[in-house]
């Protein structure tokens, strides 16, 4: 089912279209690549995105991977976007959007929706669950996005789209936008040829709590600082470094914050993860008489089953917009970047805990040795991965044992690191590698994936090939057997079938058959053209 490739840009009087407005908005907020899966409800919209010279449309193998790719892209670029079709696409991408929500990533999820004339008609549409209610998809997205917009009327489309995008940026969460399939190419006076720039009002930080926090820390003997995952959403990486430079405390990172705290910093002591912390890191953190946790998430994973030896009365928690000191008080409308920078100017230098770490620290032992032709061990693999790392690389770790092995890697300056600890959706890393590599073309991505997780989302390796990406994927395979063959002629086919039926009769056989791209049934062509015509009906007069 192909859409009409003639894309109306604007009317002679300079009135723009919804499709162009959305495309320009994506470019304006920093999106250069959009991950998509075509479907009959979004084809016209995709034509308008393709027509925007500053946008690159990347077709993915399925919606879940498109969402994962937008997630990875947002980690590197600050915001990501994906486009799918009504319900079958929307509910498929939903899991990836939930993951982005848990990780506080601004992601614009755009869905091609039903023809605007079908709303309120009591009609049953394909790609639905067989009832004349088109709101099911929107209701599913309500709990995993910060805002939802169903655009089925041109009069308020401009406001709905801009509000959804600006809300996603302000709250650093995904937004859902559904656009009726017949609206993207229709001109309307609210869509200027060049949209008025989005404006996000600056927020002034509440100064309360600063003096109390400084007093709390300045009277402590051996304080420490620990960085967490929400340092990203607050854009507080530099402010965190200012604080570490000023106070002299040792700095550690929670596992989900790895990559957000500079490991080349002289005060860095490792990952704080309770009983499975880096060697000599847990002891220093848990023996401190005051600890500042900047942007933490304390869940069952990060707390090792709620077993952290952290006492609330010794704790300062700095959230993106709140600071809590000990058992109280708690100060709202205090922003992490402002607070960290201001606190740096109030603290006395105190390196007691760092000196304690130097006293007890024992450097790693002798290099690992192996026998000739010995089967490869995981610790040998990660010794080599460590040697590959530089400021021009980024590590992506899949859920599972790669979490723990990658956590042991020491990141050089500017080396990226990403994993999805809060949501932990297996298979996330394949799509995330695709998206991150597309956004960070100056880095080579090193992805560590177990064979079980890889099976979930392996399809979009083909998209990485099509995009000429240069990532290195370590597939850690501890089992599996398959015979493969490529078939281009009937002779090839006959031979492959015979081999599968005899030599490889006891194993999985995968036969890839190559045919011409236009070798299709006449029924598909006829059916597709008629369904496309129904989708493209212009909106009725309002």
């Amino acid at each position: 089912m192909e859409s009409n490739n003639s894309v109306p840009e604007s009317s002679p009087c300079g009135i723009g279209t919804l499709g162009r407005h959305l495309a320009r908005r994506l470019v304006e907020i920093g999106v250069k690549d959009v991950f998509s899966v075509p479907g009959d409800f979004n084809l016209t919209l995709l034509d308008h995105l393709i027509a925007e010279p500053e946008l690159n449309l990347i077709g993915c193998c399925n919606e879940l991977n498109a969402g994962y790719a937008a997630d990875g892209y947002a980690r590197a670029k600050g915001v990501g976007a994906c486009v799918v079709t009504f319900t079958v696409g929307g509910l498929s991408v939903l899991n990836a959007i939930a993951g982005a929500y848990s990780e506080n990533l601004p992601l614009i999820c755009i869905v091609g929706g039903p023809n605007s004339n079908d709303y309120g008609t009591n009609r049953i549409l394909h790609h639905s669950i067989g009832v004349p209610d088109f709101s099911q998809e929107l209701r599913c997205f309500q709990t995993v996005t910060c805002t939802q917009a169903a655009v089925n009327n041109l009069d308020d489309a401009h406001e709905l789209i801009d509000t959804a995008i600006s809300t996603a940026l302000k709250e650093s969460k995904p937004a859902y936008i559904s656009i009726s399939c017949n609206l993207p190419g229709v001109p309307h006076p609210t869509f200027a040829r060049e949209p008025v720039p989005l404006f996000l009002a600056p927020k002034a930080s509440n100064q309360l709590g600063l003096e109390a926090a400084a007093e709390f820390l300045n009277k402590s003997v051996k304080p420490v600082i620990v960085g967490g995952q929400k340092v990203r959403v607050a854009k507080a990486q530099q402010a965190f470094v200012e604080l570490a430079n000023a106070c002299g405390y040792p700095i550690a990172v929670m596992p989900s914050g790895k990559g957000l705290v500079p490991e080349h910093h002289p005060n860095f002591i490792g990952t704080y993860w309770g009983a499975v912390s880096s060697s000599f890191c847990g002891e220093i953190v848990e023996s401190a008489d005051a600890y500042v946790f900047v942007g933490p998430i304390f869940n069952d994973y990060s707390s090792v089953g709620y077993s952290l030896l952290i006492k609330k009365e010794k704790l300062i928690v700095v959230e993106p917009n709140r600071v809590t000191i000990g058992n109280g008080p708690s100060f709202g409308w205090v922003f992490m970047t402002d607070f960290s920078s201001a606190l740096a100017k109030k603290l006395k230098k105190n390196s007691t805990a760092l000196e304690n770490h130097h006293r007890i620290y024992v450097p790693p032992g002798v290099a690992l040795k192996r026998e000739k032709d010995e089967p490869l061990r995981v610790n040998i693999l990660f010794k080599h991965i460590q040697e590959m790392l530089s400021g021009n690389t980024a590590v992506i770790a899949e859920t599972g044992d790669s979490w723990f092995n990658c956590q042991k890697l020491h990141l050089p300056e500017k080396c990226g690191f990403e994993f999805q600890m809060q949501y932990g959706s297996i298979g996330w890393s394949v799509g995330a590698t695709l998206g991150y590599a597309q956004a960070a073309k100056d880095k080579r991505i090193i992805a560590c994936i177990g064979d079980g997780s890889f099976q979930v989302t392996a399809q979009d390796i083909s998209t990485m090939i099509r995009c000429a990406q240069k990532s290195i994927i370590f597939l850690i395979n501890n089992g599996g057997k398959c015979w493969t063959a490529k078939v281009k002629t009937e002779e090839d086919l006959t031979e492959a079938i015979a081999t599968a039926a005899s030599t490889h009769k006891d194993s999985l056989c995968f036969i890839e058959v190559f045919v011409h791209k236009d070798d299709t049934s006449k029924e598909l062509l006829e059916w597709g053209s008629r369904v496309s015509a129904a989708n493209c009906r212009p909106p009725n007069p309002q």
Side-chain angles (χ1 to χ4, degrees), residues 299-349:
N299 61 18
D300 53 338
Y301 275 8
S302 66
S303 66
V304 197
Y306 310 110
S307 65
L308 300 183
L309 299 180
I310 294 294
K311 295 181 179 177
K312 191 175 179 183
E313 63 268 20
K314 299 179 180 180
L315 175 64
I316 294 179
V317 176
V318 185
E319 297 281 355
N321 56 7
R322 174 172 292 276
V323 170
T324 303
I325 302 171
N327 289 314
S330 185
F331 301 94
W333 209 250
V334 178
F335 303 110
M336 187 184 292
T337 300
D338 298 342
F339 180 82
S340 300
S341 296
L343 186 61
K345 299 176 177 65
K346 296 273 186 183
L347 295 182
K348 299 174 185 175
K349 200 90 168 179

Side-chain angles (χ1 to χ4, degrees), residues 83-127:
V83 183
V84 299
T85 197
F86 176 56
T87 307
V88 290
L91 299 190
S92 182
V93 80
L94 190 67
N95 185 55
I97 303 305
Y101 187 95
S102 76
E103 301 276 325
N104 299 292
L105 298 171
L107 193 159
I108 314 301
C109 179
I110 303 161
V111 177
N115 187 291
S116 64
N117 301 305
D118 287 328
Y119 281 86
T121 61
N122 211 35
R123 286 176 172 164
I124 293 176
L125 293 185
H126 68 288
H127 289 342

